[in-house]
Amino acid sequence: MQFRSVLRLVALSSLLALAACASGPRVASQSDPGADFSRYRSFAFYTPLALEQNGYTTITSNRIRAAVRAQMEARGYVFDEADPDLWVNLNAYLQDKTRVTTMPEVDYDYYYSYRARGYVAVPYWRDRTDVRQYTEGTLNVDLVDARRKQLVWEGIAVGTVGRADAQQRGEQIDAAVAAIFAAYPHRVAATH
């Protein structure tokens, strides 16, 4: 009976781990409670972006910038480099991580019992330790009130980064940016 319970626990743990992997990045956001988002109508990218610390753009930074611009424009904001209401700053970084998990498992040893005149199975428990190394990526989107020079909203996506071709990487960037902006509740009000 205990063996079946352990098998069910292992199967449930595996399903939960797979579901967690399929759900995409973890997203968090926070807003300045004193900010009046109804007065923001335009945006531009901060120069230089934190993402472009080395002084030049990359294929990845251009893809992130395009994805953010598409999300802002989908919410009614107008791109205006000359006099924006909001500065958009972007940052991303990678960090190598190690995850160590320990799970009990059962095994059996067999011995010959001269009293039973046959082999007897004896269960024993041991811990299985798995070590997994992976790379975690973090993407930050900051919206800064251009006049007050104050952060008014921040969205963060954190997820596992794996090897991918250029198309898959682009799709992952688009999905991460969309997940960040799903947490951004503001849209430009239509003017009559």
Side-chain angles (χ1 to χ4, degrees):
M1 186 64 98
Q2 285 181 338
F3 181 69
R4 285 185 179 171
S5 297
V6 170
L7 282 178
R8 285 183 190 148
L9 180 63
V10 169
L12 179 61
S13 298
S14 299
L15 287 175
L16 289 175
L18 287 174
C21 293
S23 65
R26 297 180 312 277
V27 176
S29 70
Q30 62 181 18
S31 294
D32 177 358
D36 181 9
F37 285 89
S38 66
R39 63 183 203 85
Y40 302 132
R41 302 211 176 288
S42 61
F43 74 100
F45 289 99
Y46 189 80
T47 304
L49 289 174
L51 182 62
E52 298 167 346
Q53 296 172 8
N54 296 327
Y56 59 89
T57 64
T58 65
I59 294 168
T60 301
S61 68
N62 285 334
R63 181 69 182 239
I64 294 170
R65 184 190 306 252
V68 169
R69 182 172 178 166
Q71 290 292 327
M72 290 293 287
E73 289 174 344
R75 285 161 178 73
Y77 293 94
V78 176
F79 185 75
D80 180 3
E81 282 187 304
D83 188 29
D85 297 325
L86 293 169
W87 286 111
V88 178
N89 198 3
L90 307 171
N91 194 15
Y93 58 92
L94 300 174
Q95 185 176 12
D96 290 331
K97 297 267 190 162
T98 302
R99 176 176 291 146
V100 179
T101 56
T102 302
M103 180 174 285
E105 63 182 15
V106 68
D107 204 351
Y108 294 92
D109 246 351
Y110 300 93
Y111 75 96
Y112 183 80
S113 169
Y114 68 91
R115 289 190 180 132
R117 303 219 186 264
Y119 285 93
V120 177
V122 177
Y124 66 94
W125 294 91
R126 65 173 178 241
D127 287 336
R128 184 185 79 221
T129 301
D130 294 319
V131 178
R132 180 175 163 247
Q133 294 181 325
Y134 61 99
T135 302
E136 183 177 83
T138 302
L139 174 61
N140 289 64
V141 177
D142 293 343
L143 300 183
V144 177
D145 184 307
R147 285 166 189 70
R148 295 186 308 151
K149 295 184 177 29
Q150 182 176 342
L151 181 70
V152 293
W153 186 81
E154 176 183 33
I156 303 167
V158 179
T160 302
V161 177
R163 293 179 186 224
D165 63 28
Q167 181 180 346
Q168 290 172 326
R169 193 170 32 257
E171 291 168 358
Q172 291 168 346
I173 289 169
D174 292 346
V177 170
I180 289 172
F181 275 93
Y184 182 69
H186 308 287
R187 293 188 179 278
V188 174
T191 56
H192 297 227

